[in-house]
Amino acid sequence: AQKITQTQPGMFVQEKEAVTLDCTYDTSDPSYGLFWYKQPSSGEMIFLIYQGSYDQQNATEGRYSLNFQKARKSANLVISASQLGDSAMYFCAMRESSGATNKLIFGTGTLLAVQP
Amino acid sequence: DAGVTQSPTHLIKTRGQQVTLRCSPISGHKSVSWYQQVLGQGPQFIFQYYEKEERGRGNFPDRFSARQFPNYSSELNVNALLLGDSALYLCASSPQGYSNQPQHFGDGTRLSIL
């Protein structure tokens, strides 16, 4: 069965520094998609970045980049130049490959606190 | 363009009651998925509808049902509410029924069962 593991329940980072949020995944399917979402205290899930299993390069979106290590089955999110507004819950997710659905499997999340 | 809209934002019910949650997808999106997020956990998949047909169902009891309308909006119904149904219910839309395009979520409906 497919699974997402986020081992960091909480992280602290100083404003303007970079931070890495860990994510490992388990799947036997060669084709899969990995996503990172940000969830502020308001509850909305905000899409940040996507990495496809066949993508040759690591995905980047502004201050967000994904450190994709396929052999190690890890897809860590790197946030550069942290801002106070980055304080939120961060979820790693994978689209389930069995069946023709868009079902996302989420990890348990990492709570990031950016300190001034 | 408007994002995914959900209503109501908050709801308080008592055990045994029934509830209907509503979701309007982003214009042009034909797929709607529902997720339940219990406090302190990641979202859990409940249903996906695409072109008005059920595409997938998560591990939830038959008390949970949903439907999608011709305008692609969707309703999630939960009957015989239990205390454990207290959660944030999230709706997500995407253009297609099966792709790696990102799903876009609404703000959610916070359901509290007393």
Side-chain angles (χ1 to χ4, degrees):
Chain A
Q2 295 176 301
K3 186 178 179 181
I4 293 286
T5 301
Q6 295 179 256
T7 58
Q8 306 155 312
M11 291 278 288
F12 288 98
V13 65
Q14 291 293 124
E15 195 177 6
K16 299 180 183 177
E17 292 186 349
V19 62
T20 298
L21 306 184
D22 295 342
C23 172
T24 58
Y25 59 91
D26 188 17
T27 181
S28 57
D29 197 311
S31 176
Y32 50 88
L34 295 160
F35 304 81
W36 276 92
Y37 284 87
K38 171 185 178 182
Q39 188 177 42
S41 57
S42 58
E44 181 188 6
M45 298 286 283
I46 302 168
F47 167 72
L48 296 177
I49 196 167
Y50 161 78
Q51 179 81 45
S53 59
Y54 293 121
D55 292 344
Q56 296 296 314
Q57 294 186 330
N58 287 342
T60 59
E61 289 285 350
R63 294 187 299 111
Y64 304 109
S65 61
L66 205 151
N67 184 2
F68 182 48
Q69 299 187 42
K70 195 170 182 177
R72 299 178 64 180
K73 293 188 174 180
S74 72
N76 298 338
L77 177 70
V78 180
I79 305 175
S80 62
S82 296
Q83 302 172 356
L84 296 178
D86 293 334
S87 295
M89 198 75 172
Y90 289 81
F91 288 97
C92 180
M94 177 166 58
R95 188 179 66 83
E96 187 178 80
S97 55
S98 63
T101 77
N102 285 338
K103 175 182 176 181
L104 291 176
I105 299 167
F106 285 85
T108 52
T110 296
L111 182 61
L112 177 66
V114 180
Q115 298 175 319
Chain B
D1 286 344
V4 178
T5 58
Q6 291 186 243
S7 62
T9 54
H10 295 82
L11 206 50
I12 299 175
K13 293 284 188 178
T14 57
R15 284 178 295 175
Q17 285 188 313
Q18 175 264 342
V19 68
T20 298
L21 311 181
R22 296 176 175 82
C23 172
S24 293
I26 292 172
S27 177
H29 286 195
K30 298 180 179 180
S31 174
V32 170
S33 297
W34 287 95
Y35 292 81
Q36 180 196 64
Q37 186 178 19
V38 175
L39 193 62
Q41 298 182 16
Q44 298 290 317
F45 175 79
I46 309 175
F47 284 111
Q48 183 196 355
Y49 276 77
Y50 176 64
E51 290 282 17
K52 300 178 289 293
E53 292 189 359
E54 182 181 304
R55 271 295 187 95
R57 183 186 182 112
N59 188 24
F60 281 82
D62 291 343
R63 299 185 296 107
F64 289 77
S65 63
R67 55 179 174 170
Q68 186 176 35
F69 298 98
N71 66 353
Y72 302 110
S73 66
S74 177
E75 287 183 351
L76 174 69
N77 296 285
V78 187
N79 293 323
L81 288 166
L82 304 174
L83 293 178
D85 295 332
S86 294
L88 177 67
Y89 288 84
L90 293 163
C91 173
S93 77
S94 58
Q96 303 297 329
Y98 178 59
S99 78
N100 281 327
Q101 291 174 301
Q103 294 180 54
H104 296 274
F105 286 78
D107 290 345
T109 294
R110 292 189 185 275
L111 177 63
S112 299
I113 311 301
L114 303 179

